[in-house]
Amino acid sequence: METSKSIKVGKINVSTTKAWIVIGIGVISVAGVVVFLETRRRRKTLDGSTKEDFGAFIERFVLAPSPQPPPPAARQSLSGLTFAVKDIFDVKGYVTGFGNPDWKRTHEPAPRTAVAVTRLLKNGATCVGKTVMDEFSLGFTGENVHYGTPAIPEVPTQIPGGSSSGSAVAVAAQIVDFAIGTDTLGCVRIPASFCGILGFKASHGVISCDGVLSNSQSFDTVGWFARDPSILFRVGSILLPVLPAERRRMRRLIFADDCFQFSRVSSQRTIPVVNRTIESLSGYQQPQLVNIGKFIASNVPSLKGFCEKSLNSQHGVSTLKALSSVMISLQRYEFKTNHEEWIKTIKPRSAPDISDRVFAAINTTHENIKTFYKVRTELRAALHSLLKDDGILVIPTVPDVPLKLKSKKNLASEFQDRAFVLLSIAGMSGCCQVTIPLGKHDSSPISASFIASHGEDKYLLDTVLDMYSSLQEQVNIASNLPLLPDTNGSIDAAELLKDKGNAAFKGRQWNKAVNYYSEAIKLNSANATFYCNRAAAYLELGCFQQAEEDCNMAISLDKKNVKAYLRRGTAREMLLCYKESAQDFRHALVLEPRNKVADLAEKRLRKLLIC
C-alpha cells in the first residue's frame, strides 16, 4: 500500500549537477531513498545529438531500487544495473507524456508506478529517467519535433527508429545497462535494429501493461533493449511469468526465404552467419526453409479476401502485404477507440507525419473488424503449428539499412510499408520476437530477427544467450568478405557459401566443405557446380554413394560438366562398378579429348574389364 507523508527536502550540489535528496517513506512503494536530478537543458551539437545524453531523455531522475536482502540471501538479480523507461510508462508523481506536450499539459501526474517498472526496481535495478518517444507511439522514424530526435552515437545522421527511440539510444550510448519500451507495430524491433543493439518484443499479453498508456491493445506489448545478451535474459527472467524449469530440446531454425527477398544485405550476411553458427554448436537441427507467405495463405483462410489479385500471389508476397494491411487497419481502429474523444477535444499540435496518422485513425470505419480479429487468431494458431515449442523463424528485422534523418516523405513511406510486411508476422500473431545485431554494412547497423511461438519467450531468450557469442564470431568473419553482385539475394548468399566451401576444401576440412556446399544447395538447388563440388568433398571422405548421387544431379543440370563425369567415374570405380565408371571417363574424353585424367582412367578400366 502506498502512503503519503510529509518529507524534508535538502538541496545539495553533486559535481556540476543540481540534485535534491528526498528522504522519506512512500515516495514510491519500493524505494526508501529517491534522488531527483534536475532535467538538464539540452545542448545540441552540430550532428544533432546532445552533449550529455545524445537526446535520449525527456526527464532525468533516479528511482533507487529496493534494499538488498541481508546475507546469506542472494543478491537481487538486477542489482547494480541501471535502466531508463519510455515516456509511456507511469512513474508515480510524474506526468506520463506520451511523446506530446499537449498530452502532458492535459493530464495529471501518475498516482502509481507501472507494474513492469516496479518489478525491475524490486529486483535491484535503478531507474535513471524517462526517454523520448514518437508522439502517441505512432511514429516510425524516432524523430520528435517537440523534444528533439535521439541520435545514434556511431551514426548520428541516421534515424534512430521509433517509437521507443530514446530507450534504444540510451542503451546504444551506454548511458544505461538496459531500457524498457513498448512495441505496437515495431516500436522496439525497429530502433533495436537501427541502433545496432538487442531488442526483445514479448509475446502479446504475457507481461502486465498496467500503468502503460495504450496505443492499440491488440498489439501493445512491453519490450526491452540491451547490449549484452545476459542482461537481456536477466530482465526477461524478471518481467516474464514464472514457468517450470526449461527442458532441453533440439532447436529448429527455419529461414523464411521469401522474406529475405526484401533485403539483399540481410540475406548475404544473415543466412551464412546463422548457418555457420549452428554448425559450431550442439543441440541444433539442420536449418529448414519455408515460404512463409505461402504458408500463411494456406493456413489463414480469413486473410484470403484481403489479398490482391496479382502475379506475386503465387509467391506469397500478396499474402504478406495483406497481413500488414490488416495489422495497420486494426491498430487504427483501436487507437481511434482509445483516444478519439481527447484528440477531437484538445486538437493537439503534432508533426505532419504524426498528424496524418492520427487523421487516418480517427477517420477509420468499423468494416471488417470481426474479420481482423479472426485473422489474428488464425495466424497465431498457424505459427504455433509451424514452430511448435522448439522452432524459431528467422527473418530480416527491416528491409534495408536505416534512412537518413529528415528523409523525403515518399521514401520514408515506402520504407515503412516494406518494413510492416516483415513486422506483421509477429505483430499480428502476438508471437515473441528478438532483434539481433549482425554487424554493419556501409557503416550502418544490420540485424536479423528470431520469432518463437506465443508464450515461448524464455526459450527464445535462452536461444539468444546460447548463440550470441558464436554469432558475433561469424559476423566478424563475414564482415571481411565482400558482398556479391546484386542479382538475387538467395543466389548471392549461395555463392558466398560456395566460396566458403572451397576455402574449407583447400584447407582439407572436408566435413565443413560438405556443410557449406549443402547450405548453398538449399538456397539455390539449380546450380550444378554446388553438387559437383560437394561430390569432390564426399570423395575425400570416402562417401562414394553420396558422391555418385551429387554427380547425377550435376549432370542432370549440366550435360557438359566434365568434372561431374570424372568424379562420378571415380566414385563408381571405388564402388567396383567398373563398366559404368569407364563409360563416365569415356564421356569426359568426348567433351575434352585431351583430358589426361580421363584418358589414363579409361585405359586402366579397360584392362580391368578385359581381365
Side-chain angles (χ1 to χ4, degrees):
M1 180 177 180
E2 298 186 29
T3 59
S4 178
K5 294 188 177 183
S6 61
I7 54 177
K8 295 181 180 180
V9 180
K11 185 175 177 181
I12 62 171
N13 287 324
V14 181
S15 185
T16 60
T17 305
K18 293 180 181 179
W20 287 263
I21 295 183
V22 184
I23 303 175
I25 301 174
V27 176
I28 183 168
S29 59
V30 298
V33 179
V34 183
V35 181
F36 296 91
L37 299 181
E38 182 186 55
T39 301
R40 298 170 177 175
R41 181 177 180 83
R42 295 170 181 271
R43 299 200 294 273
K44 297 238 176 154
T45 60
L46 293 176
D47 62 19
S49 67
T50 64
K51 185 175 181 180
E52 294 172 338
D53 61 14
F54 295 90
F57 287 85
I58 285 179
E59 293 180 280
R60 296 297 298 266
F61 51 78
V62 174
L63 302 181
S66 293
Q68 288 288 332
R75 288 176 62 82
Q76 295 164 329
S77 59
L78 301 181
S79 177
L81 300 182
T82 58
F83 73 103
V85 300
K86 181 178 181 178
D87 192 27
I88 201 171
F89 289 86
D90 285 346
V91 172
K92 183 179 178 180
Y94 290 83
V95 179
T96 308
F98 217 1
N100 179 272
D102 287 326
W103 180 279
K104 191 169 187 176
R105 174 178 58 81
T106 56
H107 288 80
E108 297 296 320
R112 61 185 61 85
T113 298
V115 169
V117 178
T118 300
R119 292 194 69 179
L120 297 171
L121 292 168
K122 282 184 175 180
N123 283 275
T126 301
C127 180
V128 298
K130 283 197 171 189
T131 55
V132 174
M133 60 176 285
D134 284 286
E135 298 175 69
F136 314 122
S137 203
L138 284 176
F140 174 85
T141 65
E143 297 168 297
N144 189 306
V145 297
H146 307 291
Y147 301 113
T149 300
I152 307 173
E154 294 188 7
V155 277
T157 59
Q158 294 177 346
I159 61 172
S163 65
S164 305
S165 54
S167 291
V169 167
V171 171
Q174 302 185 40
I175 300 171
V176 292
D177 297 299
F178 69 93
I180 58 173
T182 57
D183 193 301
T184 303
L185 302 186
C187 312
V188 165
R189 292 164 284 169
I190 296 168
S193 180
F194 288 179
C195 293
I197 57 175
L198 292 157
F200 192 86
K201 167 200 171 295
S203 294
H204 183 261
V206 301
I207 298 176
S208 173
C209 283
D210 186 15
V212 182
L213 294 176
S214 180
N215 176 305
S216 171
Q217 52 269 27
S218 287
F219 303 106
D220 294 338
T221 59
V222 174
W224 57 97
F225 305 92
R227 299 181 302 278
D228 186 325
S230 65
I231 293 178
L232 194 81
F233 183 88
R234 287 158 65 186
V235 173
S237 297
I238 298 304
L239 293 178
L240 293 166
V242 177
L243 297 174
E246 284 285 310
R247 62 179 177 83
R248 288 190 63 82
R249 38 186 149 161
M250 289 288 288
R251 293 179 169 93
R252 292 183 300 121
L253 268 67
I254 305 169
F255 289 98
D257 58 348
D258 51 330
C259 289
F260 283 97
Q261 296 174 17
F262 289 91
S263 177
R264 182 182 76 89
V265 172
S266 189
S267 67
Q268 291 195 49
R269 293 298 191 217
T270 302
I271 296 173
V273 162
V274 175
N275 279 331
R276 288 196 293 270
T277 300
I278 292 172
E279 291 171 11
S280 67
L281 299 171
S282 61
Y284 292 81
Q285 298 181 20
Q286 281 292 315
Q288 302 169 295
L289 295 177
V290 66
N291 185 305
I292 195 66
K294 284 186 177 181
F295 176 83
I296 292 172
S298 300
N299 292 275
V300 185
S302 296
L303 193 58
K304 186 175 181 180
F306 301 101
C307 296
E308 298 176 1
K309 302 297 182 182
S310 68
L311 295 176
N312 285 330
S313 61
Q314 60 182 324
H315 302 299
V317 174
S318 178
T319 300
L320 293 175
K321 287 183 177 179
L323 185 66
S324 66
S325 177
V326 170
M327 178 181 72
I328 293 166
S329 297
L330 181 54
Q331 178 270 328
R332 287 174 176 173
Y333 167 74
E334 292 185 343
F335 183 86
K336 173 182 178 177
T337 302
N338 295 331
H339 303 301
E340 179 179 23
E341 181 179 353
W342 179 83
I343 287 168
K344 287 185 174 180
T345 301
I346 302 300
K347 298 179 177 59
R349 296 166 294 127
S350 299
D353 60 325
I354 301 298
S355 293
D356 290 345
R357 294 187 183 105
V358 169
F359 181 81
I362 297 303
N363 288 279
T364 192
T365 64
H366 293 209
E367 297 176 8
N368 298 318
I369 291 302
K370 290 184 178 180
T371 308
F372 292 164
Y373 289 114
K374 192 173 182 180
V375 169
R376 186 184 62 168
T377 301
E378 290 177 354
L379 180 62
R380 182 177 298 183
L383 286 184
H384 182 74
S385 71
L386 173 68
L387 301 174
K388 299 182 173 59
D389 66 349
D390 63 346
I392 294 172
L393 188 68
V394 184
I395 66 170
T397 309
V398 290
D400 218 326
V401 295
L403 298 170
K404 299 291 184 182
L405 289 166
K406 299 180 180 178
S407 294
K408 293 182 179 179
K409 184 177 180 180
N410 61 339
L411 184 64
S413 177
E414 178 187 350
F415 189 98
Q416 177 180 277
D417 290 345
R418 292 167 59 213
F420 280 160
V421 169
L422 299 171
L423 296 163
S424 64
I425 298 171
M428 277 297 291
S429 67
C431 291
C432 50
Q433 179 174 341
V434 62
T435 299
I436 304 174
L438 292 180
K440 295 182 179 180
H441 174 65
D442 290 341
S443 300
S444 297
I446 56 175
S447 72
S449 273
F450 291 176
I451 298 173
S453 292
H454 183 274
E456 294 294 338
D457 301 60
K458 288 191 176 179
Y459 170 67
L460 185 56
L461 284 167
D462 186 64
T463 300
V464 174
L465 194 60
D466 185 58
M467 293 183 67
Y468 191 77
S469 177
S470 296
L471 275 172
Q472 297 312 307
E473 287 178 9
Q474 295 301 332
V475 166
N476 291 334
I477 294 171
S479 64
N480 295 320
L481 297 175
L483 288 175
L484 298 167
D486 186 10
T487 53
N488 174 277
S490 294
I491 293 175
D492 288 343
E495 288 290 337
L496 184 63
L497 286 165
K498 184 203 72 174
D499 292 342
K500 294 297 292 179
N502 292 347
F505 188 95
K506 291 177 182 177
R508 304 177 68 83
Q509 296 175 302
W510 319 123
N511 279 311
K512 279 194 173 183
V514 167
N515 289 334
Y516 285 130
Y517 295 139
S518 297
E519 295 309 315
I521 289 168
K522 287 180 181 179
L523 297 177
N524 182 11
S525 59
N527 191 307
T529 301
F530 298 168
Y531 290 99
C532 192
N533 286 11
R534 188 169 69 175
Y538 276 138
L539 287 174
E540 295 291 342
L541 290 167
C543 301
F544 304 120
Q545 288 183 344
Q546 292 93 327
E548 182 184 20
E549 290 171 3
D550 272 353
C551 290
N552 289 339
M553 282 297 302
I555 291 167
S556 70
L557 293 167
D558 180 8
K559 301 296 184 184
K560 296 182 179 181
N561 192 319
V562 175
K563 289 182 179 180
Y565 286 104
L566 292 173
R567 289 166 185 170
R568 188 170 71 175
T570 301
R572 286 175 169 177
E573 182 179 1
M574 300 306 296
L575 293 168
L576 307 182
C577 300
Y578 298 133
K579 183 178 179 180
E580 293 84 355
S581 176
Q583 289 174 348
D584 281 333
F585 289 122
R586 280 196 291 270
H587 203 112
L589 280 171
V590 171
L591 295 171
E592 285 187 7
R594 297 183 179 181
N595 191 298
K596 292 182 179 180
V597 173
D599 183 57
L600 290 172
E602 195 277 335
K603 290 176 180 177
R604 181 179 66 251
L605 288 165
R606 192 191 313 158
K607 290 179 181 179
L608 286 172
L609 289 169
I610 291 173
C611 295

